[in-house]
Amino acid sequence: RLRLHDGKLVKDRRYHLRTYPNCFVAKELTDWLIDHKEAPDRETGIRLMQKLMDHYIIHHVCDEHSDYKDAKLLYRFRKDDGTFPLSKDVKVFMRGQSLYEKLVSMEESILKVREENSVKYQRTFLGCEMIDWLLQEGEVENRKEAVELGRALLEHGIIQHVSNRHHFSDSDLLYQFWINFRRRQRLTELLNESSSHALSESPDSPFCLRKLNPDPANTSFLSVQTNKEIKIVSAVRRSSITSLAGNSNPYFSTTPTLVFPPVAECNPKSVLKRPVTNEELLSPGAPYIKKTLTVVGDAVGWGFVVRGGRPCHIQAVDPGGPAAAAGMKVCQFVFSVNGMYVLHLDYQTISSLIMTGPRTLVMEVMEAME
């Protein structure tokens, strides 16, 4: 997806007096797959793109075609229009991916070669050491939250005890990342899967999000073969901002990946604990403060999610994106966009304002006082 953005195959296109943001022409993409040796012929290229359609990676811009046609039709990555399924399981996977990239890029990383029972393991970390690091980096607020995060990562097959015998704990037990997030797969590997069931269940599936099922009777963990690497699709970056029709939500979303569970919700539950009205926000003495954020978008987006309307709120923020760097947080309410008052507008209108505006976005948000 990012390669197509960089190569300008994904761009805004006009058809029948309407502009479709961040889309590509199917025939051009098939040509690109062959030219870049991602597919040996057009038939294989079509099958590859159909596989992505079947798993909610791409779709026709108007959803008028359920299959991928090698023609002058417009398609779009769901990450670029907010319809990419983002479930709790996927969020755990992306959190693990983010932590892994952060750890391996550090000069003094806690990932080191260590030994247990006379066996050396690469890039390992102590449970207590990981918790200290998570607290130091502001990834969690307390040790209890860090343990819960570690246990979630282990249960999803992202980390494991080196001998696969213990759950995650605040101790000197030795753990390591089980998934090689930097392994790049070729698109043609997707065609090795024979069905959607096999795709979601096979341990070698690049779409497989593994959950381990601990046996309460002992401390061993089944369903992971220690001599087998879990394969994943290389990660890419956050989505571009777009507006959507209907009841879908506009996603300026978190770091995308091609990994998601077989059944996923396309419209995540609101992060707001209760509805808030404009009158409540603007009433004298209301427990809200206004902040001005300047968000400089990158090549493919700003890195946040807007949802709701009258007022709209921030649904999610990419921890490594431009919005997070500017101080944006979930549950903030959008007061103005580039100087325009927007509390009375719905998310479609606000997303259109952002999308058609400058790359440097100036937003006023209202945040609840702690």
Side-chain angles (χ1 to χ4, degrees):
R1 174 177 156 270
L2 278 186
R3 290 169 68 191
L4 295 177
H5 271 284
D6 292 340
K8 306 301 181 185
L9 265 76
V10 173
K11 60 184 179 182
D12 296 355
R13 298 175 186 271
R14 195 166 179 80
Y15 181 72
H16 284 182
L17 302 179
R18 179 178 175 183
T19 299
Y20 296 89
N22 297 313
C23 57
F24 59 87
V25 178
K27 189 175 186 302
E28 291 181 6
L29 181 54
T30 308
D31 293 337
W32 184 91
L33 290 172
I34 296 173
D35 292 342
H36 289 76
K37 303 188 185 313
E38 293 289 353
D41 49 51
R42 303 194 78 81
E43 181 185 357
T44 304
I46 294 169
R47 290 171 59 208
L48 284 170
M49 292 303 102
Q50 186 62 51
K51 182 72 76 170
L52 296 188
M53 286 196 73
D54 293 342
H55 292 275
Y56 301 97
I57 305 299
I58 63 174
H59 68 129
H60 181 257
V61 291
C62 298
D63 290 318
E64 293 177 354
H65 301 278
S66 59
D67 53 352
Y68 181 84
K69 297 182 183 295
D70 187 18
K72 291 184 178 180
L73 294 174
L74 299 180
Y75 292 81
R76 184 186 289 134
F77 283 88
R78 290 187 178 273
K79 283 304 300 181
D80 283 338
D81 68 7
T83 58
F84 180 75
L86 196 65
S87 70
K88 179 182 177 181
D89 289 343
V90 176
K91 289 178 181 178
V92 172
F93 184 92
M94 293 190 296
R95 185 75 183 278
Q97 183 180 53
S98 174
L99 294 175
Y100 178 84
E101 291 294 340
K102 195 171 182 178
L103 282 165
V104 297
S105 62
M106 293 177 63
E107 290 186 6
E108 296 295 329
S109 175
I110 62 172
L111 302 183
K112 299 176 182 178
V113 177
R114 291 184 175 89
E115 188 174 303
E116 182 178 280
N117 296 328
S118 301
V119 178
K120 286 187 177 181
Y121 298 92
Q122 299 289 329
R123 290 186 173 180
T124 64
F125 57 88
L126 303 177
C128 58
E129 195 175 37
M130 172 62 82
I131 290 175
D132 291 339
W133 180 81
L134 290 170
L135 287 166
Q136 177 185 326
E137 295 295 316
E139 294 284 348
V140 294
E141 294 186 359
N142 50 58
R143 300 191 79 84
K144 179 182 177 182
E145 185 180 330
V147 171
E148 291 173 352
L149 173 58
R151 294 176 75 86
L153 293 175
L154 189 144
E155 288 169 5
H156 283 77
I158 296 169
I159 64 173
Q160 67 166 17
H161 177 252
V162 291
S163 59
N164 207 27
R165 295 186 59 82
H166 300 282
H167 212 315
F168 183 82
S169 63
D170 187 357
S171 65
D172 59 357
L173 290 173
L174 207 54
Y175 301 88
Q176 63 186 166
F177 279 85
W178 178 243
I179 293 180
N180 178 9
F181 286 103
R182 293 193 168 183
R183 179 187 183 274
R184 295 187 62 87
Q185 276 196 283
R186 296 192 64 80
L187 280 173
T188 50
E189 292 185 49
L190 298 178
L191 299 181
N192 295 331
E193 306 291 353
S194 59
S195 67
S196 60
H197 177 76
L199 191 59
S200 62
E201 298 297 329
S202 168
D204 287 332
S205 168
F207 289 93
C208 180
L209 188 59
R210 307 285 306 284
K211 273 193 176 181
L212 310 186
N213 300 308
D215 182 353
N218 57 52
T219 59
S220 65
F221 291 84
L222 308 177
S223 76
V224 167
Q225 301 177 31
T226 56
N227 62 345
K228 203 166 194 178
E229 177 189 18
I230 296 180
K231 301 175 182 177
I232 67 158
V233 169
S234 169
V236 292
R237 295 166 66 193
R238 64 197 147 268
S239 74
S240 174
I241 177 172
T242 61
S243 63
L244 298 175
N247 294 322
S248 298
N249 302 316
Y251 272 76
F252 321 121
S253 102
T254 53
T255 308
T257 171
L258 297 183
V259 181
F260 61 93
V263 179
E265 297 283 342
C266 285
N267 297 311
K269 184 179 178 182
S270 172
V271 294
L272 298 179
K273 294 181 179 179
R274 62 177 181 84
V276 176
T277 64
N278 286 338
E279 289 73 19
E280 182 179 347
L281 283 176
L282 301 175
S283 63
Y288 296 93
I289 56 175
K290 188 188 295 183
K291 294 183 177 181
T292 301
L293 309 177
T294 301
V295 186
V296 182
D298 62 13
V300 292
W302 287 263
F304 65 97
V305 178
V306 162
R307 190 179 179 182
R310 305 178 183 89
C312 287
H313 64 274
I314 305 301
Q315 172 75 8
V317 180
D318 175 1
M328 186 175 290
K329 302 176 183 177
V330 296
C331 296
Q332 291 174 334
F333 296 95
V334 184
F335 182 87
S336 72
V337 174
N338 295 327
M340 180 176 177
Y341 175 78
V342 297
L343 278 181
H344 61 297
L345 301 178
D346 56 24
Y347 69 79
Q348 292 98 330
T349 307
I350 290 179
S351 58
S352 178
L353 285 172
I354 297 173
M355 183 173 59
T356 57
R359 183 171 177 177
T360 299
L361 173 65
V362 179
M363 291 178 62
E364 286 182 299
V365 297
M366 299 193 72
E367 179 181 312
M369 299 172 61
E370 296 183 357

